[in-house]
Amino acid sequence: MTHPVTPATGAPLVHMRQINKAFGDHVVLDRVDLTVHTGEVVVLIGPSGAGKSTLLRCVNGLEQIDSGEIVIDGRRLRYDEKSLNRMRRHVGMVFQHFNLWPHKSVLDNVMTAPVRVARRNEEKARANALDLLEQVGLRQFADRYPMSLSGGQQQRVAIARALAMHPKVMLFDEPTSALDPELVGEVLAVMRDLALSGMTMMVVTHEMRFARAVADRVVLMADGGIAEQGPPTDVLDRPASERGRAFLRQVE
Ligand code: ADP
Ligand code: MG
C-alpha cells in the first residue's frame, strides 16, 4: 500500500469488529470489520442488497447485530433503551426519504429533538437551529412547512435536524437517491461542506463524483462483506477484486 488508509484523521470513533447480522437464514453481514476515525469520510458503495443500509442501521442501533461488537466513541453499543438513547445523540442519520414532521415548521423540525430529547434550553436551541438552517442555506425558510419545500430543500432540513443534536458522526443512506436530478447537487454541496468542516461521516451513495471528491476512503461491499477498500482513486480506478470491477462497470 502506498497510501495510508485514513489520511489526516484521528482516533477510532466507530469500531465494528466481526459483526454478523442475518435476517432469518439470510446472512447479510458476515464477520465485517470496519473502523471509522474521527474526521474521516467513508463512502460505502456496492450492489443493491450488499448490506450497506443494514450496516448503517447497525451503527445507530436500528438493527441489532447477532454477534461481534460495535464501539462508538469508546462505548460498546448495547440495546437497552437508555444506552440506545444516549448513543443516538452522538449518531445522526439522514435517510433517502427525509421523514420530516409534516405538521411542524422547518424551525420546529430542527429544534424539537434538542429541546424535548436533549432537554436543551429553548432559546439556545432556537438560535442553534437558525444557525444550522443558515449553514444549509435555508434560514429564510424557517417558518415554512416541509411540504412547501422542494425535495432537495427538505433533505437539507433533515441534515440540519440531525446536526442539531451535535452528533459525533453522521450517517447518510442514499440521501440523494429520491431526488430529481437537478436537486442532487445542492444536497451534495451541503454534505461536502460538512465533510470539510471535519465531521466524521459514513455515506452510502451511488454518486461516484462525490465519492472521488470527498471520501477519504471508499468501502466496496458485496456478498455480505467488504470486497475492497482504500482511497477513492484506488478503489474506483483500479479495483482489485472481480466484484469491484463488475460493480464499477455498471455504475460509471
Ligand atoms: P443495500 O442497502 O446494500 O441495498 P440492505 O442492507 O438494504 O442492502 O439489504 C441487504 C439484504 O438484507 C437484502 O437482501 C435485504 O432484502 C435484506 N434485508 C434488509 N432488511 C431486512 C429486514 N428488515 N428483514 C428481512 N430482510 C432484510
Ligand atoms: Mg440500501
Side-chain angles (χ1 to χ4, degrees):
M1 284 288 274
T2 50
H3 302 274
V5 170
T6 56
T9 50
L13 184 59
V14 177
H15 179 61
M16 282 166 271
R17 193 180 60 77
Q18 292 285 294
I19 64 169
N20 289 291
K21 176 66 187 175
F23 295 105
D25 55 11
H26 179 191
V27 176
V28 176
L29 299 174
D30 184 12
R31 287 162 292 165
V32 173
D33 289 311
L34 182 64
T35 300
V36 178
H37 300 79
T38 300
E40 192 179 17
V41 177
V42 171
V43 167
L44 300 157
I45 62 173
S48 179
K52 306 178 298 296
S53 294
T54 302
L55 184 92
L56 286 193
R57 291 167 61 82
C58 286
V59 172
N60 84 341
L62 286 172
E63 300 287 355
Q64 188 164 345
I65 57 176
D66 300 323
S67 61
E69 70 172 355
I70 300 178
V71 179
I72 298 171
D73 198 25
R75 210 183 269 272
R76 184 173 173 161
L77 180 52
R78 290 185 293 122
Y79 297 97
D80 59 285
E81 199 177 321
K82 193 159 165 254
S83 304
L84 281 177
N85 286 339
R86 186 175 46 212
M87 178 274 292
R88 286 191 183 134
R89 291 187 199 182
H90 301 305
V91 180
M93 187 152 177
V94 174
F95 300 89
Q96 184 173 339
H97 299 285
F98 338 115
N99 311 325
L100 297 174
W101 289 299
H103 55 285
K104 287 184 196 286
S105 70
V106 163
L107 179 64
D108 283 339
N109 264 278
V110 178
M111 64 180 281
T112 291
V115 172
R116 295 273 169 78
V117 180
R119 308 228 173 271
R120 297 221 184 97
N121 170 284
E122 188 160 336
E123 281 322 302
K124 283 185 185 156
R126 184 186 312 276
N128 185 239
L130 290 169
D131 284 348
L132 288 168
L133 287 171
E134 178 84 42
Q135 185 181 327
V136 302
L138 294 173
R139 171 72 178 77
Q140 71 276 31
F141 293 119
D143 295 327
R144 297 268 289 264
Y145 283 79
M147 287 307 286
S148 73
L149 304 182
S150 73
Q153 289 167 336
Q154 290 185 55
Q155 191 60 301
R156 286 147 63 196
V157 175
I159 294 171
R161 180 177 63 174
L163 291 172
M165 295 297 276
H166 303 317
K168 293 184 172 157
V169 55
M170 285 281 285
L171 314 178
F172 293 86
D173 193 0
E174 299 200 29
T176 61
S177 293
L179 299 177
D180 291 334
E182 72 273 18
L183 303 178
V184 168
E186 65 191 61
V187 173
L188 294 179
V190 164
M191 292 169 62
R192 184 200 55 216
D193 288 348
L194 191 58
L196 289 172
S197 79
M199 178 59 75
T200 309
M201 295 166 49
M202 298 176 72
V203 182
V204 175
T205 185
H206 301 293
E207 296 289 338
M208 294 300 151
R209 281 205 314 191
F210 176 85
R212 280 178 197 282
V214 179
D216 295 304
R217 178 161 41 128
V218 172
V219 171
L220 196 153
M221 294 186 65
D223 299 331
I226 294 174
E228 60 184 285
Q229 59 179 313
T233 47
D234 285 8
V235 175
L236 301 178
D237 296 336
R238 298 181 286 278
S241 66
E242 185 45 48
R243 290 306 310 245
R245 284 192 288 275
F247 174 69
L248 289 162
R249 269 198 302 274
Q250 284 171 11
V251 294
E252 284 198 306

